[in-house]
Amino acid sequence: PIMEQIEAAGYEAYFVGGSVRDVLLNKPIHDIDIATSAFPEEVKTLFPHTVDIGIEHGTVLVLSEGNEYEITTFRTESDYQDYRRPDEVVFVRSLEEDLKRRDFTINALAMNTKGDIIDLFDGEADLKAGIIRAVGLAHERFNEDALRMMRAVRFASQLDFSIEEQTFEAIKELSPLLQHISVERIHIEWIKLLLGKNRNKGIEAFVLTELYQYCPGLNEQAGMLKSLIELAPYEIESEEDSWVILCHKLSLKGQELTSFLKKWKLSNKIIDNCKKVVPSVSFRLEHEWDTAHLYPLNEEQVLMTERVLKILNVSYDVSLAKKKYNELPIHGLKDLAVTGSDLIAHLNQQPGPWLGRLLKTLEQAV
Ligand code: ATP
């Protein structure tokens, strides 16, 4: 109904990007992106309830009957600097211009309200053949935005697709440009690659194109990366599990482990979990069942250890680990533990970050 309303006002509107690709692949879709020839201010006049979520990039959120729709004006990105996507965008009225700026043919499809596919770059044929091919000249496209190279390898993993030869060669040649991309953006693609259904395909391309040489802590790590291909054929269940696996494979401990994870700008929670779970995984690999490794862990970390063992192709037992964990004498002592309010009263202090730290120290002491 939203698209029909836009059309009734004399503008064009299409489904675009990943949602069209995923519909044609019969995969579940998460975000529906709608592109339109109407400029953002024009979109806003058409609907009573809108939110500016990225109006400088042309995106307006329309709220209608309890649903949210992201509507983005057709745009072209003219000037690229620093091998990154430009912040300045130019709104246009032409769908073709909008599709031309997209990264791969499979992501450059549009669908109108009747369900017809607009396919200007033979994206449907590439979808059928399982091919990731840059729109236009691959060299130019990666020179404009080097992140697209990481997107290519992560789509290889997520979709189980192959990277077309010229696109692949361009990545191989231009991989050093990845140095210009922020770690936060590389991180998103790297994790999607590792969590993808066919991570081996993605890892292989990541190694062969040498993109890994320009990722924090992974340069010179071709051997370790190739060893990931021998992991058991299960999907990695969470981002945290993937960092544990990497730290384990890199034999990182203590300060080295922390500095590797800090290079990737990971949260303290992930760093803390890795610090506990990586040694726990090593312990389990070296010892028969023994509860010693369970003491420093919380229940989430116990489960993480077992999930990682499963991926490492080692016998694991989630229910035994959970049972042993729950039988630890530490649980009997939990009733004796002091609470935050006991400490505040006893020490006559205002609550603050010190309280969490002190409680944690006490818990560990117990
Ligand atoms: P998913 O959301 O499943 O990860 P997606 O293809 O929807 O995949 P998004 O990052 O949401 O990925 O991007 C939406 C669309 O925007 C893409 O399908 C593509 O057409 C375009 N796009 C995204 N990033 C780029 C980029 N760096 N260069 C060119 N086009 C891009």
Side-chain angles (χ1 to χ4, degrees):
I2 295 287
M3 280 162 67
E4 275 148 17
Q5 253 173 289
I6 298 175
E7 285 181 343
Y11 303 102
E12 293 174 38
Y14 302 88
F15 294 110
V16 283
S19 55
V20 181
R21 177 197 69 218
D22 291 341
V23 164
L24 294 175
L25 289 173
N26 281 325
K27 285 185 182 264
I29 45 178
H30 0 263
D31 322 305
I32 296 183
D33 293 324
I34 296 170
T36 177
S37 59
F39 286 0
E41 292 306 326
E42 294 166 337
V43 173
K44 284 166 67 176
T45 61
L46 296 177
F47 301 99
H49 304 294
T50 62
V51 185
D52 293 353
I53 51 165
I55 201 148
E56 63 291 0
H57 295 110
T59 308
V60 173
L61 190 72
V62 172
L63 309 174
S64 169
E65 295 170 5
N67 296 313
E68 296 179 352
Y69 304 88
E70 261 187 37
I71 318 265
T72 306
T73 302
F74 296 155
R75 54 190 207 199
T76 166
E77 293 162 348
S78 43
D79 294 325
Y80 287 82
Q81 289 165 347
D82 303 333
Y83 314 104
R84 282 185 219 115
R85 224 151 23 128
D87 285 335
E88 208 189 323
V89 295
V90 182
F91 300 135
V92 290
R93 299 282 186 192
S94 141
L95 172 69
E96 183 177 350
E97 284 296 315
D98 186 84
L99 296 180
K100 238 171 37 191
R101 73 173 171 89
R102 293 176 184 269
D103 47 5
F104 305 110
T105 59
I106 57 168
N107 288 343
L109 294 161
M111 187 159 91
N112 67 16
T113 42
K114 293 191 210 108
D116 305 324
I117 299 293
I118 294 91
D119 179 9
L120 305 179
F121 308 100
D122 286 337
E124 263 196 288
D126 285 341
L127 260 190
K128 285 206 181 86
I131 288 174
I132 297 160
R133 181 196 312 268
V135 171
L137 297 171
H139 275 80
E140 263 176 34
R141 307 315 308 286
F142 298 139
N143 252 309
E144 287 168 357
D145 177 1
L147 184 73
R148 290 174 184 152
M149 301 188 285
M150 277 303 289
R151 287 175 55 89
V153 292
R154 78 104 149 153
F155 283 120
S157 164
Q158 281 186 321
L159 304 175
D160 192 9
F161 276 24
S162 305
I163 303 176
E164 174 273 332
E165 201 179 320
Q166 285 181 12
T167 304
F168 187 91
E169 289 304 320
I171 300 178
K172 212 164 150 186
E173 201 173 305
L174 301 177
S175 57
L177 296 183
L178 199 61
Q179 294 169 83
H180 300 282
I181 301 297
S182 74
V183 63
E184 289 87 345
R185 299 187 68 199
I186 296 177
H187 167 211
I188 295 173
E189 305 303 328
W190 171 232
I191 291 303
K192 285 186 177 174
L193 185 163
L194 278 185
L195 269 50
K197 274 210 162 41
N198 198 315
R199 63 173 175 263
N200 287 353
K201 218 167 203 164
I203 291 168
E204 201 180 8
F206 185 63
V207 173
L208 290 176
T209 53
E210 304 216 342
L211 282 169
Y212 74 97
Q213 297 282 25
Y214 308 97
C215 293
L218 296 183
N219 50 317
E220 307 299 323
Q221 290 298 340
M224 182 282 290
L225 290 163
K226 281 186 195 149
S227 79
L228 295 179
I229 291 178
E230 286 142 31
L231 294 175
Y234 300 111
E235 278 178 48
I236 300 176
E237 285 180 35
S238 75
E239 163 165 5
E240 297 208 23
D241 293 4
S242 74
W243 292 112
V244 173
I245 294 167
L246 282 178
C247 290
H248 168 76
K249 287 278 182 185
L250 288 165
S251 307
L252 296 176
K253 289 192 189 75
Q255 202 44 50
E256 271 182 357
L257 181 148
T258 308
S259 76
F260 171 73
L261 296 174
K262 284 218 159 125
K263 278 189 205 153
W264 282 92
K265 307 229 171 111
L266 298 179
S267 67
N268 286 338
K269 179 170 181 271
I270 295 190
I271 297 180
D272 286 346
N273 276 341
C274 283
K275 274 188 182 158
K276 300 249 177 70
V277 179
V278 174
S280 159
V281 168
S282 308
F283 185 94
R284 285 272 280 111
L285 290 173
E286 286 159 21
H287 297 80
E288 283 296 299
W289 254 108
D290 181 333
T291 51
H293 76 291
L294 294 174
Y295 279 94
L297 308 182
N298 61 32
E299 188 164 334
E300 184 191 348
Q301 294 159 345
V302 171
L303 300 180
M304 213 183 282
T305 305
E306 296 302 303
R307 285 201 304 265
V308 169
L309 289 168
K310 169 176 156 183
I311 293 277
L312 294 177
N313 233 335
V314 175
S315 84
Y316 65 98
D317 192 336
V318 182
S319 51
L320 180 65
K322 233 175 127 174
K323 181 167 172 285
K324 295 231 181 211
Y325 178 75
N326 286 321
E327 282 166 11
L328 292 182
I330 192 173
H331 294 294
L333 290 175
K334 270 200 177 141
D335 295 339
L336 299 178
V338 286
T339 65
S341 26
D342 292 338
L343 288 175
I344 290 167
H346 185 74
L347 300 172
N348 197 18
Q349 293 287 326
Q350 293 301 313
W354 63 271
L355 186 57
R357 286 199 294 271
L358 187 50
L359 278 169
K360 206 165 165 194
T361 312
L362 284 170
E363 188 187 299
Q364 280 165 358
V366 168

